[in-house]
Amino acid sequence: MAEEYDIVIIGSGAGGAPIASELAALQNRSLRILVLEKGPKLRTQEDNPAGGFSDFKRDEMLNAGPEKRINQDGVGNTNRPFYSSHIEPDLNDEPHLWSGHDEQNPRVTVEGYTAQVVGGGTQLYGAVSLRFPERDFMLASADRPAGLPNDPYADPDVDIRDWPIGYDDLLPYYEKAETLVGINGTVDDVQTGAPAQEKKFPKNCYQAPLSPNPISQFALNGMKSIGAQVYRTPLAVITEAHAPSGRPAPGWVKTGYVNRYGDPLGYKSNTWVSLLRPAMRTHPGRIDLRANCTVTHLEASGKRISKVHYRDASGFPKSVGGKIVVVACSAIESVRLLMLSAEEDPTGLGKLLRHEEDGTPLGRYFLTHCFGGAEVSIPDGRRFDKTQSLDSDYATDWTSRFDFLRDNNLWAGAAIYNNTSDQSLPVTLARTDGANDLDTWWQGFDNDPAKTGEGMLGWMDADFGTRLSVSFMANQVPWRKNRIRLSDVRDKWNRKSAWIVKDWHPHDGHVMNTLARVCEDILLAGIPGTMREGTGIPWNRGVIGEGSVYGQGVRIANHILGGARFGTDRATSVLDPDCRVWDIDNLYVTDGCFMPTSGGANPTLTIQANSFRVADILKQVV
Amino acid sequence: MTLATIVEPTDDDHVLDLCAKHLARLNDNLRHSYNGHLAGDPRGRFSEGWRFPAIESDREPGFNQVTLVWRREMEEARPDSVGLIGTFRALYERIPLREIPDSLYWYVTLRVPKRTCHRYLFQVGGAYHQDRVNPQTEKDGDGRTWSRFFTEETTRPLVLQTHERRILSRFVQHILPFRTPAAEEFLRSPGNPLPRDVYELDQAVGVVNFIDKVLAREERHNRIDYAICLREIEKVLRMREPYSEPEKVSKEAFTRLYGEMWGQVPGWDRSLYDNPSHFLRMVRRHTFLGAFSHPKYGGNAMAVGWRFLEERFRDPAGGTAFDWRKAIEKPLGTNNEYVG
């Protein structure tokens, strides 16, 4: 007989950990909670008191140094190199595929911040933790500019939906997430003190930010020059003692080893150090955390999930039961798990999930973010120690305001912030030289014969400690054709891999071009002596490059969302407003796949806030 | 020579954390066969078998913890015991491995001195076996093949031959900016931050050592490129300067060859290796990585690459614009919290 738990949570990242920690703390009840995590539990220094060593390192070689090769038959990029962190999925063992809508020539891909480790993607993220603007919850019904280019609202294959909850519903959970996770930043404008975030902020839950890196002043100047309100970017890194998680005040947290690194000291507020570990210490015995366990499929009995089948650290098949089952293993993997489960039981669970129906919404409206920006080398010879930084200093919601959308014919807005620690370390500088995404690592450096001897010195003189970028994170149009399906390429357990069929809606291109230009304007205004690219001057310091990330190589996106959206209409959504799968009484999905629109900001905080909301719902039903 | 000691086995979960991602599987497809070299060998099934044995930090300075793992096949009968012999202890001394309950894994963790390289075999049911995961092997004087590992900061050449290392050294010198007047000025500056026992600013020795190690382990699949291309380069250089050893040809001849490798190299046998620029790009990447990654990987000897950047690049206040020491563990860096 399988072990029985009150709640089984699949995934320990932003979607799963808030629920585990909340239910473990439930007063007057002692629930048995199981968290199944595919990846290992890598230790911080505190987690390993015997030797004091962490399994995470400030080590560029460990992080993404060696070249690996894609070795999958039947894909378009087999034998191509890739470089990935030691906590990302192994592309050969657990590939995702990606193709355009023609479904021809799929290539192996990995998403930028998907990590297989206790803590999930929050171990790897840059920790930018913004709330979504209020308007982003109601993009179907909110006023919108007339005459949108390639109007997505007029496209019958596009289905823009309001969220079934609004900002006000999520507000208390944003506050809870910011308090419990541990985030530094400001609500107000850094110069005027006026409210600067483009959403209601009745309560400030942030820790004080660190002193900004001096290079960020150029970005601040530029944002101010275009009339923006500017706040300190909320970052999930503690700067003070954090009582909810029991983490002491950091000694020295500024370091370039944050974005895309696991933190050996636990200052970066991943879900292990901020939520799961404190819950397990405060309520011993309530959470059973099993690392290295891959859930293979769910089994239904009637309208309930009766068993969760998984492979343990050796690969032995196991199963458990739970009164409640929560799937939170990142958007693509959650959709894939539901699809694989439906194939295992086509007449039972498959029917409940409507897996084979033509109109099934499962896997449809997969989303990433419209992403891009502008960058430059500061032209006047000044350089800064960018290793003494967190990932961003200044942010603005200026492009989420309706007047901006109206003036620029955009359907939805974006957060804009400067990147401070990018290219701060020598290997990273070379690895990302000329790269437009994580998929083109080393190509700019490797392919430039001039970067040799004196030429290399000249390049480093120009770029080391001088690079400054400003990025945007914007909504992508939800398009039915953008979908997740199953492929015949098998993972290491001989299961079908996920196949992402995705392209960009024509309006997405307008969004990205417009916002990249704004980022360029910020740098132009903020840094005297800079000029636009394409003015006939060869690439050198002071020439601003701008562009967007369409994802053309190995990595499809930084953020993956949608695919099992929630809504009030069971015909067009997979989840009900509580994030429960329609027609299945005890199955909830809480990672980013629930989102009907992708939000104009980094999504992790919203995933965490929604999980805290679902935890409150589960307290009533478990 | 200091012998390895056995670290008390107290943390089975940590070993599972090291193992599961790469070793747990049902799919037998080749995942990393090193250009077919391991086709038919079970080690070709593991996509990152080079991670084994696991080499980790140890609280004793000058040592690594090395965790050696024996993985039985799922359908294979459970052995009564698994042992290990290796050059880290007296060869007659069998070290027992511990079985992780309800798993496929047996392991032992040893405290092994840094800068050492060792051969080992597992003993299972009275027979000796090479490591089923780790693709590194080495022959002993009698021609028997053993499994091999090396610890951090190892300098013993493992895969590159002497003549290959010499040619490679020229590439490294040519690519890196350490033969420029600026670097020489740095070297001569008062209060030169270089340790006295570092030989000038020349990173060639360290970076070639780094490349040797990365080809021995993480990027073993690229070893064949080095073998073919360095041979072709030697051949071309001998044709051009027949009275000089290839590694000692004039700077002009070497610079010319370097430039030609981006396109056509007269005398290069393209039937053996079609694209010299592919090799050149790889060497450039390895060279930079070796010069500026953590010194424990064998390049960036005594952090001279980092020290050069620290000294050369200054912020507006005159301080360094690359204060790597603040983030890095002692004694290499100055961070009081991060122990490495």
Side-chain angles (χ1 to χ4, degrees):
Chain A
M1 179 157 172
E3 293 174 276
E4 289 293 325
Y5 287 83
D6 292 297
I7 180 163
V8 177
I9 300 171
I10 304 164
S12 61
I19 293 172
S21 66
E22 284 291 289
L23 295 186
L26 201 56
Q27 298 293 320
N28 305 320
R29 290 285 305 272
S30 182
L31 300 178
R32 294 194 68 215
I33 302 162
L34 173 65
V35 177
L36 292 168
E37 167 56 51
K38 183 186 284 186
K41 186 171 86 63
L42 300 189
R43 304 165 299 191
T44 65
Q45 288 185 178
E46 185 190 340
D47 296 328
N48 184 20
F53 293 98
S54 172
D55 300 319
F56 300 111
K57 302 291 180 187
R58 294 175 175 173
D59 180 346
E60 292 198 90
M61 183 71 179
L62 174 69
N63 186 48
E67 178 204 70
K68 291 173 260 189
R69 298 274 183 90
I70 294 167
N71 192 356
Q72 283 279 357
D73 294 333
V75 300
N77 56 350
T78 194
N79 208 35
R80 296 287 297 170
F82 69 96
Y83 305 89
S84 63
S85 166
H86 63 120
I87 57 175
E88 288 178 274
D90 188 303
L91 283 194
N92 289 319
D93 277 347
E94 302 189 63
H96 289 166
L97 301 186
W98 169 39
S99 73
H101 293 152
D102 62 3
E103 303 193 6
Q104 298 298 307
N105 195 33
R107 288 171 285 173
V108 171
T109 184
V110 65
E111 304 79 43
Y113 289 91
T114 300
Q116 286 180 0
V117 61
V118 170
T122 62
Q123 292 281 16
L124 199 57
Y125 71 162
V128 172
S129 292
L130 297 153
R131 300 181 186 183
F132 284 175
E134 295 177 46
R135 181 189 158 80
D136 282 6
F137 295 87
M138 43 189 293
L139 287 171
S141 60
D143 290 342
R144 54 181 177 264
L148 295 173
N150 307 113
D151 186 355
Y153 292 93
D155 184 335
D157 208 33
V158 166
D159 188 2
I160 299 167
R161 298 222 159 224
D162 287 350
W163 290 33
I165 58 172
Y167 180 85
D168 288 344
D169 297 308
L170 215 51
L171 176 59
Y173 299 105
Y174 271 136
E175 291 173 345
K176 177 177 270 190
E178 286 163 353
T179 302
L180 296 184
V181 168
I183 293 172
N184 77 83
T186 67
V187 177
D188 297 333
D189 184 271
V190 293
Q191 291 181 342
T192 67
Q197 296 210 29
E198 191 66 19
K199 46 254 178 183
K200 284 196 290 286
F201 236 105
K203 184 176 164 191
N204 183 353
C205 306
Y206 295 141
Q207 293 190 340
L210 301 172
S211 300
N213 189 295
I215 198 171
S216 298
Q217 184 67 35
F218 296 108
L220 174 62
N221 295 345
M223 291 176 184
K224 282 294 175 187
S225 295
I226 61 171
Q229 300 275 12
V230 182
Y231 52 96
R232 291 296 306 279
T233 311
L235 297 166
V237 179
I238 59 168
T239 57
E240 306 162 356
H242 186 249
S245 63
R247 285 177 287 165
W252 183 81
V253 295
K254 293 185 178 184
T255 171
Y257 299 95
V258 172
N259 187 16
R260 299 193 50 74
Y261 285 85
D263 178 7
L265 302 180
Y267 298 150
K268 185 160 83 172
S269 297
N270 62 71
T271 55
W272 165 243
V273 298
S274 65
L275 298 175
L276 284 176
R277 188 174 73 184
M280 292 172 75
R281 286 176 175 172
T282 308
H283 309 288
R286 292 190 181 179
I287 297 177
D288 183 1
L289 171 63
R290 296 184 191 169
N292 303 302
C293 293
T294 304
V295 174
T296 55
H297 61 284
L298 310 176
E299 181 181 329
S301 177
K303 293 178 71 175
R304 298 183 65 81
I305 300 301
S306 55
K307 280 185 185 172
V308 175
H309 295 271
Y310 69 95
R311 299 252 174 205
D312 72 8
S314 287
F316 294 131
K318 301 276 176 64
S319 66
V320 292
K323 294 174 186 167
I324 300 289
V325 175
V326 176
V327 175
C329 38
S330 87
I332 295 169
E333 282 297 296
S334 288
V335 170
R336 176 187 177 219
L337 177 61
L338 295 179
M339 289 180 168
L340 289 171
S341 302
E343 287 203 344
E344 286 279 336
D345 181 17
T347 58
L349 185 54
K351 278 201 165 181
L352 292 173
L353 288 168
R354 294 172 284 160
H355 175 51
E356 294 296 338
E357 292 178 19
D358 285 344
T360 179
L362 181 61
R364 297 287 185 173
Y365 303 103
F366 173 68
L367 295 160
T368 63
H369 267 127
C370 291
F371 172 64
E375 64 174 344
V376 69
S377 288
I378 306 296
D380 65 356
R382 279 182 283 181
R383 72 180 77 243
F384 303 88
D385 190 350
K386 287 154 60 71
T387 69
Q388 315 299 312
S389 302
L390 296 180
D391 201 41
S392 176
D393 281 324
Y394 296 114
T396 178
D397 295 345
W398 188 64
T399 57
S400 292
R401 298 164 59 99
F402 183 73
D403 52 357
F404 179 88
L405 303 182
R406 180 196 59 219
D407 293 347
N408 291 276
N409 297 315
L410 301 178
W411 80 292
I416 286 185
Y417 50 87
N418 79 304
N419 304 108
T420 311
S421 64
D422 52 342
Q423 298 172 308
S424 62
L425 300 165
V427 171
T428 304
L429 178 73
R431 192 165 55 200
T432 59
D433 179 45
N436 65 2
D437 198 358
L438 301 170
D439 52 15
T440 49
W441 278 357
W442 289 107
Q443 289 187 24
F445 175 83
D446 286 350
N447 292 329
D448 186 353
K451 292 190 177 82
T452 295
E454 288 280 6
M456 180 183 290
L457 201 55
W459 161 65
M460 296 182 90
D461 283 347
D463 279 8
F464 195 84
T466 69
R467 304 291 294 174
L468 178 63
S469 65
V470 174
S471 301
F472 65 84
M473 196 67 66
N475 278 276
Q476 183 185 11
V477 172
W479 210 5
R480 182 174 171 76
K481 288 188 278 194
N482 288 340
R483 60 183 290 217
I484 301 161
R485 49 166 293 192
L486 297 178
S487 90
D488 290 330
V489 171
R490 301 282 170 154
D491 73 359
K492 68 176 185 175
W493 300 120
N494 284 324
R495 298 185 308 157
K496 291 180 179 178
S497 299
W499 183 348
I500 302 121
V501 178
K502 181 179 178 294
D503 214 328
W504 297 93
H505 189 274
H507 187 74
D508 291 332
H510 171 65
V511 169
M512 291 196 273
N513 291 338
T514 302
L515 294 169
R517 192 72 168 188
V518 171
C519 294
E520 187 179 31
D521 289 343
I522 287 171
L523 292 178
L524 272 173
I527 312 171
T530 54
M531 60 203 80
R532 294 188 196 278
E533 199 176 10
T535 51
I537 298 166
W539 178 266
N540 205 332
R541 294 181 74 159
V543 178
I544 300 172
E546 54 104 331
S548 306
V549 178
Y550 286 85
Q552 293 162 335
V554 172
R555 292 174 194 262
I556 184 172
N558 282 344
H559 303 141
I560 51 172
L561 305 160
R565 62 187 186 176
F566 72 161
T568 54
D569 175 4
R570 68 178 60 216
T572 58
S573 58
V574 177
L575 311 175
D576 72 11
D578 292 347
C579 284
R580 184 180 63 91
V581 177
W582 288 109
D583 301 321
I584 302 180
D585 293 341
N586 66 337
L587 179 59
Y588 293 77
V589 184
T590 57
D591 53 44
C593 67
F594 78 90
M595 295 188 185
T597 50
S598 51
N602 303 47
T604 301
L605 182 70
T606 301
I607 296 171
Q608 290 169 327
N610 181 63
S611 294
F612 280 116
R613 182 186 71 91
V614 174
D616 270 0
I617 295 165
L618 294 180
K619 288 173 188 173
Q620 308 305 315
V621 300
V622 73
Chain B
M1 179 182 167
T2 308
L3 296 177
T5 53
I6 300 172
V7 177
E8 199 60 32
T10 55
D11 193 354
D12 291 353
D13 286 342
H14 177 60
V15 178
L16 292 177
D17 286 334
L18 294 172
C19 289
K21 176 178 176 181
H22 299 290
L23 304 189
R25 64 188 55 237
L26 296 178
N27 192 323
D28 285 343
N29 289 349
L30 284 180
R31 287 292 171 248
H32 202 157
S33 68
Y34 300 98
N35 299 307
H37 180 68
L38 288 181
D41 186 318
R43 284 170 289 201
R45 293 180 306 167
F46 300 106
S47 57
E48 295 183 19
W50 51 265
R51 294 186 183 275
F52 296 89
I55 313 290
E56 299 182 281
S57 303
D58 188 84
R59 62 179 177 272
E60 291 289 331
F63 287 82
N64 284 127
Q65 286 196 10
V66 180
T67 299
L68 298 108
V69 177
W70 174 261
R71 175 190 180 275
R72 71 174 169 90
E73 298 295 331
M74 196 173 281
E75 66 279 6
E76 190 177 24
R78 176 179 162 272
D80 291 335
S81 68
V82 178
L84 171 76
I85 61 166
T87 55
F88 30 78
R89 296 283 282 262
L91 276 179
Y92 54 80
E93 190 176 348
R94 179 184 186 276
I95 301 171
L97 270 64
R98 170 188 170 87
E99 181 182 19
I100 301 177
D102 303 319
S103 83
L104 299 175
Y105 307 114
W106 301 66
Y107 76 97
V108 65
T109 300
L110 304 174
R111 179 171 290 127
V112 182
K114 290 184 178 179
R115 302 183 178 214
T116 59
C117 180
H118 297 282
R119 301 192 301 265
Y120 66 99
L121 292 171
F122 290 106
Q123 187 192 40
V124 186
Y128 290 97
H129 301 268
Q130 295 170 34
D131 195 322
R132 287 173 165 181
V133 178
N134 171 21
Q136 288 189 69
T137 58
E138 184 176 275
K139 281 192 164 61
D140 64 15
D142 296 327
R144 288 178 297 231
T145 302
W146 299 61
S147 289
R148 179 189 67 205
F149 71 82
F150 57 93
T151 53
E152 293 172 355
E153 302 173 20
T154 290
T155 54
R156 187 189 120 189
L158 295 178
V159 299
L160 293 171
Q161 298 175 31
T162 304
H163 65 107
E164 292 176 315
R165 295 199 302 275
R166 287 176 178 162
I167 293 282
L168 204 49
S169 178
R170 290 295 301 270
F171 271 98
V172 170
Q173 291 166 6
H174 190 70
I175 293 167
L176 290 174
F178 297 141
R179 293 292 175 105
T180 61
E184 290 172 8
E185 182 184 338
F186 162 67
L187 193 63
R188 289 195 302 269
S189 64
N192 179 347
L194 286 184
R196 299 180 69 164
D197 52 349
V198 170
Y199 174 65
E200 295 188 338
L201 196 56
D202 198 335
Q203 269 282 354
V205 175
V207 172
V208 171
N209 183 50
F210 168 87
I211 294 174
D212 182 69
K213 300 302 167 292
V214 85
L215 294 177
R217 190 166 55 193
E218 291 93 335
E219 295 194 31
R220 194 161 171 257
H221 54 280
N222 286 321
R223 169 67 179 111
I224 186 69
D225 297 62
Y226 276 81
I228 296 171
C229 292
L230 291 174
R231 198 164 58 230
E232 285 300 297
I233 289 165
E234 278 196 62
K235 184 187 74 179
V236 169
L237 291 175
R238 282 188 191 281
M239 282 192 302
R240 294 181 183 179
E241 294 197 10
Y243 302 107
S244 177
E245 285 301 309
E247 71 272 14
K248 292 180 179 173
V249 298
S250 63
K251 184 175 180 180
E252 291 71 25
F254 188 84
T255 302
R256 178 185 155 209
L257 172 67
Y258 181 89
E260 289 171 345
M261 286 181 69
W262 295 102
Q264 301 288 329
V265 182
W268 184 284
D269 187 346
R270 296 183 77 98
S271 69
L272 292 175
Y273 198 93
D274 184 49
N275 188 355
S277 73
H278 175 79
F279 175 69
L280 198 53
R281 289 195 294 271
M282 187 191 310
V283 173
R284 288 171 53 76
R285 174 171 61 83
H286 283 159
T287 297
F288 196 91
L289 200 55
F292 297 112
S293 61
H294 196 290
K296 66 187 178 185
Y297 293 106
N300 194 11
M302 303 192 78
V304 291
W306 290 349
R307 290 166 196 253
F308 175 70
L309 303 181
E310 173 190 12
E311 182 69 11
R312 179 169 181 79
F313 297 121
R314 316 302 293 184
D315 66 21
T320 180
F322 183 51
D323 193 356
W324 58 274
R325 296 167 200 269
K326 282 179 95 169
I328 297 297
E329 72 280 4
K330 291 179 176 177
L332 192 63
T334 58
N335 195 283
N336 286 320
E337 298 171 283
Y338 174 57
V339 294

